[in-house]
Amino acid sequence: MKLNKIVSGIAAAAVTASALAVSSGAALVVSNATNTGFSSTAGMWMQQIYIPGQDIDFGIDPREMGKIVFTITPENPEDFEGGTGGGVVISSGPQNGAPADHNWASSNFWGVYDEEKEIFGRDPENDTNPIHTEIAGDYIYTLTVNVDDTNCVQQESYDAVDCYVQIALQEWGNEIFTDIKVLSLDIYDKSGALMGSFDGDGNFTAGTASAPVSAPAAETAAAPAEETTAAPAAGDVAAATDSTKGSPNTGIEDVAVVAGIALVAGGAIAVAKKRK
């Protein structure tokens, strides 16, 4: 058993159910890349894919999107407990007067279940979140959001002079020992054909899916300071989403970044487990 697992077990035994909420240990690996429309912080990875007023256009017709797929991996796989969680966002509209339900349409997820790796951060039988992680490789997981009437790019928004379309991954999980790295964002049309891909640094590729078959060695950039918000009830992902949903209501330059929230409850900080 690794030393940090032993420490986590000792810490868990010392914490009572009445412990106060603390800032989340989970964060995204931050990229310093300055690619077009790309931004990266410890709380949110975001790629703007269509803003005609800012000459952001990758040849992807956002009205034709059928699904988006994020591929993620823990930065330090051997320390990963499965506690990643947050929201995958498709956001569109004009800067002013954007349809409220499309301005920041977020689909929640929580935890990773990977029996082979003895990672049990998600209960697959009782997971009621709209999306969930799927195993795609060795410590590699995908999050898929289907595009429908609730999160599609409406013609009204597309025609607006100040139209914007952006896709984001927010992280507010309770993982303590490792950060989470975005490997790729893949965008498919309604027929299932790949429209384009972005790697974890926002580099655009077209024609082939960008998800790797194995996790690359991650390079960690220094994360900027994040502000935490008041914590919702333990495990209440919907409440966490509600507390963040309204922040980036312009969707363009100064998107407010929400740091992840984790609760220490029931006397547990992390689940110690034996690795094979």
Side-chain angles (χ1 to χ4, degrees):
M1 182 178 294
K2 295 181 181 298
L3 178 59
N4 58 10
K5 308 295 183 177
I6 297 173
V7 172
S8 71
I10 295 172
V15 179
T16 66
S18 60
L20 297 176
V22 296
S23 297
S24 170
L28 296 174
V29 174
V30 178
S31 168
N32 287 328
T34 57
N35 289 303
T36 300
F38 173 67
S39 61
S40 173
T41 71
M44 182 164 65
W45 185 104
M46 187 171 73
Q47 179 67 53
Q48 298 169 330
I49 66 168
Y50 185 68
I51 307 179
Q54 296 184 21
D55 295 325
I56 297 176
D57 187 349
F58 295 92
I60 296 173
D61 187 340
R63 298 166 297 177
E64 296 302 315
M65 293 191 302
K67 69 177 180 181
I68 65 169
V69 181
F70 272 102
T71 303
I72 61 175
T73 189
E75 183 184 23
N76 301 308
E78 291 300 320
D79 294 330
F80 186 47
E81 298 286 352
T84 182
V88 175
V89 179
I90 301 175
S91 186
S92 65
Q95 294 185 46
N96 299 301
D101 58 348
H102 285 63
N103 176 56
W104 198 251
S106 180
S107 299
N108 301 334
F109 69 96
W110 198 270
V112 167
Y113 180 85
D114 190 340
E115 186 173 5
E116 180 181 346
K117 305 296 184 185
E118 297 185 15
I119 296 172
F120 306 108
R122 179 175 75 86
D123 180 358
E125 295 184 0
N126 299 296
D127 186 356
T128 59
N129 289 293
I131 61 173
H132 50 265
T133 53
E134 297 286 354
I135 300 171
D138 193 28
Y139 290 104
I140 297 176
Y141 310 98
T142 57
L143 290 158
T144 300
V145 173
N146 293 318
V147 180
D148 55 29
D149 291 341
T150 67
N151 57 11
C152 65
V153 177
Q154 299 172 317
Q155 188 67 43
E156 174 187 359
S157 297
Y158 185 79
D159 291 337
V161 174
D162 53 354
C163 172
Y164 67 85
V165 181
Q166 57 197 10
I167 298 172
L169 173 68
Q170 289 185 298
E171 169 65 56
W172 57 71
N174 59 8
E175 186 67 33
I176 294 177
F177 297 113
T178 181
D179 291 340
I180 304 301
K181 181 176 177 60
V182 174
L183 296 178
S184 66
L185 164 64
D186 297 312
I187 303 172
Y188 298 84
D189 67 16
K190 296 174 182 177
S191 71
L194 184 68
M195 302 175 76
S197 301
F198 297 86
D199 67 16
D201 292 324
N203 295 302
F204 177 69
T205 59
T208 57
S210 62
V213 295
S214 61
E219 295 182 2
T220 307
E226 298 286 341
E227 294 182 359
T228 59
T229 61
D236 190 347
V237 178
T241 303
D242 290 341
S243 70
T244 69
K245 181 177 179 181
S247 297
N249 52 17
T250 64
I252 305 296
E253 293 295 337
D254 298 322
V255 177
V257 177
V258 180
I261 302 299
L263 293 185
V264 180
I269 292 178
V271 178
K273 65 174 181 283
K274 182 178 179 181
R275 297 281 188 190
K276 292 182 179 180

